[in-house]
Amino acid sequence: MKFSNFFIPTLKESPSDVKMRSHDLMIRSGMIRQETSGIYSWLPLGFRVLKKIINKIELFHDIDNVNQILMPTIQSSEIWKTSERYDTYGKEMLRITDRNNKDLLYGPTNEEMITVIGKQYIKSYKSLPRKFYHIQSKFRDEIRPRFGVMRAREFIMKDAYSFDLDETNGEITYHDFFNLYLKIFNNLDIPVVPVRAPSGEIGGNLSHEFHLIVESGESEIFIKDDVFNKKYDDLSLKELINLESYTDDYFKKINEKSGFNSFKSIELGHIFLFGSKYSDSFNFVVDSHEGKFKPFMGSYGIGVSRIPAAVIEYSNDSNGIIWPKNISPFMVHLINLLHDDTECLEFCEKIYKDLIKKKIEVIYDDRSESPGKKFSDADLIGIPVQIICGKAFKKHNEVSLIHRANKKETYFKSENILNSLIDILGENV
Ligand code: ATP
Ligand code: MG
């Protein structure tokens, strides 16, 4: 993509009500635009990041045999009356009346709808276990939407749901999702900590959240030191349950509180094993040799549109964003400082095309802006590797490569730069 063609409305300053670093950087780098309180458009740069995250989530869910579907945003109030959550959900639920006076709502979550879907098609134990997910907008009329997409009213969630024969099988599925989440976050370069949580709104007794520790986080978690040294993905479910890492709410309930440290954090994922609460309310019954039974269910959420904000909160410096490679909107930021020079222009055009051929995502700053503006925009949007074609190209036929994260600069002969880039970007290309 050429910078001159890319719609990237960078700003010098954010509006004064912007309080969080990630919110400021997302607005200033032109990733998102607020439409009204807690409701955002994703502009091209932001949407590229979102799609990277979605692609990874889809890839790993697919490998784990979780069926992707797409349920609507709008739901009928009937199913929420059946589960008795229509009244209890309160003001966070956006209620809508259609032209026939039918009560609808913008879904804050989908347990009811998936249970109704399961009930219609799953009749025998032979069809179990079954796992479904979708990636869809949710609406929750938060009292205080804030920090941009970190706590929005309309936001994108990945929510998955599982149906199992019984509790034992449900726990196996829960463990699979636990590991799936660790894999996904690991693959997105996000070092989350799993913490035990009370199950809250949905009920039941097994629940964990996945948190990213950052000082500006809204949540608080309590962790014993040795938890950090564990390789979570090698652990059995029992060992995971016994990890001494808790959400604030869970920590309040435990007796022995010594030896814990508390950290501010951001909740990025949440898994629940809630049992037969919904299969009971919808009378969802499946046949087996031993008679009829109600499937054992779980639900598993990831805050897809919160992730870019959380990653920026975790990884930035005074000049802007520092994207981890795996979710960066581009891999290489090619900067032509001598846009009026024919040789420099030809070189940049050629390397730009070569990178595209090699499927290395590149943004090419071909604008006739000052070097200062080009550098500050590059640092603001935070692509991992910058390639600079400037004076050294004219003098020594060299271009420089700057790592955004540590600003380390190395010069390469221009004919070697493509291979060096391939080496540096390695398997992630
Ligand atoms: P929170 O405690 O942050 O309000 P929650 O516990 O109500 O979140 P869940 O129902 O567990 O949220 O939803 C699954 C995931 O969706 C959360 O882990 C979080 O990452 C994300 N999420 C929830 N609410 C919002 C929101 N208002 N804006 C953006 N993401 C959200
Ligand atoms: Mg939660």
Side-chain angles (χ1 to χ4, degrees), residues 15 24 39 51 64 72 74 90 109 134 152 156 176 192 196 225 238 241-242 245 295 322 342 345 347 366 374 426:
D24 173 55
I39 300 185
K51 278 194 295 184
D64 261 24
I74 305 296
T109 179
H134 75 158
I156 301 171
D176 288 347
V192 291
R196 182 102 193 254
D225 277 350
K238 196 159 175 243
I241 292 171
N242 288 334
S245 56
I322 301 173
T342 318
L345 185 70
F347 170 77
D366 59 333
K374 289 184 178 179

Side-chain angles (χ1 to χ4, degrees), residues 316-379:
N316 70 74
D317 64 14
S318 58
N319 298 322
I321 303 167
I322 301 173
W323 288 114
K325 263 195 261 174
N326 286 358
I327 60 172
S328 182
F330 297 95
M331 284 299 135
V332 175
H333 195 132
L334 174 63
I335 301 176
N336 182 358
L337 292 180
L338 306 175
H339 44 263
D340 293 329
D341 181 89
T342 318
E343 279 172 1
C344 210
L345 185 70
E346 275 173 10
F347 170 77
C348 286
E349 292 285 334
K350 177 162 185 333
I351 192 96
Y352 175 60
K353 287 193 186 122
D354 287 345
L355 286 167
I356 291 172
K357 250 189 242 151
K358 293 277 177 204
K359 297 202 162 57
I360 298 177
E361 293 165 293
V362 51
I363 178 145
Y364 165 30
D365 196 343
D366 59 333
R367 298 173 300 169
S368 47
E369 293 281 357
S370 69
K373 169 80 175 144
K374 289 184 178 179
F375 281 129
S376 67
D377 279 350
D379 281 355

Side-chain angles (χ1 to χ4, degrees), residues 199-417:
S199 9
E201 182 63 35
I202 295 179
N205 53 22
L206 198 48
S207 174
H208 285 84
E209 296 178 359
F210 296 79
H211 282 246
L212 178 66
I213 294 177
V214 289
E215 261 174 45
S216 52
E218 280 193 287
S219 305
E220 187 164 25
I221 54 177
F222 294 81
I223 303 176
K224 276 215 174 142
D225 277 350
D226 63 334
V227 173
F228 288 114
N229 305 323
K230 289 247 160 61
K231 269 197 84 207
Y232 312 118
D233 45 357
D234 289 340
L235 303 182
S236 68
L237 182 60
K238 196 159 175 243
E239 288 166 318
L240 287 169
I241 292 171
N242 288 334
L243 277 177
E244 291 180 291
S245 56
Y246 304 117
T247 64
D248 191 13
D249 289 344
Y250 201 98
F251 189 67
K252 282 182 190 138
K253 293 188 195 167
I254 66 168
N255 295 325
E256 181 51 54
K257 289 192 166 59
S258 63
F260 282 87
N261 287 312
S262 77
F263 300 89
K264 291 286 182 194
S265 64
I266 302 171
E267 179 190 330
L268 293 181
H270 197 163
I271 58 178
F272 295 94
L273 190 63
F274 53 74
S276 60
K277 178 175 188 312
Y278 297 93
S279 33
D280 277 341
S281 3
F282 288 91
N283 197 24
F284 172 13
V285 186
V286 169
D287 286 323
S288 80
H289 295 309
E290 282 109 54
K292 295 183 182 306
F293 67 94
K294 308 256 176 67
F296 207 86
M297 293 175 60
S299 71
Y300 315 85
I302 292 182
V304 175
S305 56
R306 180 178 281 182
I307 290 178
V311 169
I312 295 173
E313 208 51 45
Y314 179 76
S315 180
N316 70 74
D317 64 14
S318 58
N319 298 322
I321 303 167
I322 301 173
W323 288 114
K325 263 195 261 174
N326 286 358
I327 60 172
S328 182
F330 297 95
M331 284 299 135
V332 175
H333 195 132
L334 174 63
I335 301 176
N336 182 358
L337 292 180
L338 306 175
H339 44 263
D340 293 329
D341 181 89
T342 318
E343 279 172 1
C344 210
L345 185 70
E346 275 173 10
F347 170 77
C348 286
E349 292 285 334
K350 177 162 185 333
I351 192 96
Y352 175 60
K353 287 193 186 122
D354 287 345
L355 286 167
I356 291 172
K357 250 189 242 151
K358 293 277 177 204
K359 297 202 162 57
I360 298 177
E361 293 165 293
V362 51
I363 178 145
Y364 165 30
D365 196 343
D366 59 333
R367 298 173 300 169
S368 47
E369 293 281 357
S370 69
K373 169 80 175 144
K374 289 184 178 179
F375 281 129
S376 67
D377 279 350
D379 281 355
L380 176 63
I381 71 173
I383 309 307
V385 170
Q386 303 169 354
I387 300 293
I388 319 292
C389 185
K391 280 188 198 133
F393 179 77
K394 296 297 285 181
K395 276 198 199 142
H396 316 291
N397 192 30
E398 283 180 354
V399 290
S400 76
L401 184 154
I402 302 177
H403 287 275
R404 172 65 186 89
N406 55 15
K407 303 296 284 171
K408 202 171 150 249
E409 184 168 25
T410 318
Y411 282 84
F412 290 88
K413 285 288 173 212
S414 64
E415 61 270 22
N416 297 335
I417 191 66

Side-chain angles (χ1 to χ4, degrees), residues 166-209:
D166 54 21
E167 185 164 5
T168 312
N169 284 286
E171 284 179 358
I172 294 170
T173 298
Y174 185 84
H175 190 202
D176 288 347
F177 268 102
F178 205 124
N179 285 321
L180 172 64
Y181 274 39
L182 293 172
K183 238 184 282 166
I184 289 171
F185 286 115
N186 188 25
N187 212 271
L188 292 170
D189 295 329
I190 306 174
V192 291
V193 187
V195 289
R196 182 102 193 254
S199 9
E201 182 63 35
I202 295 179
N205 53 22
L206 198 48
S207 174
H208 285 84
E209 296 178 359

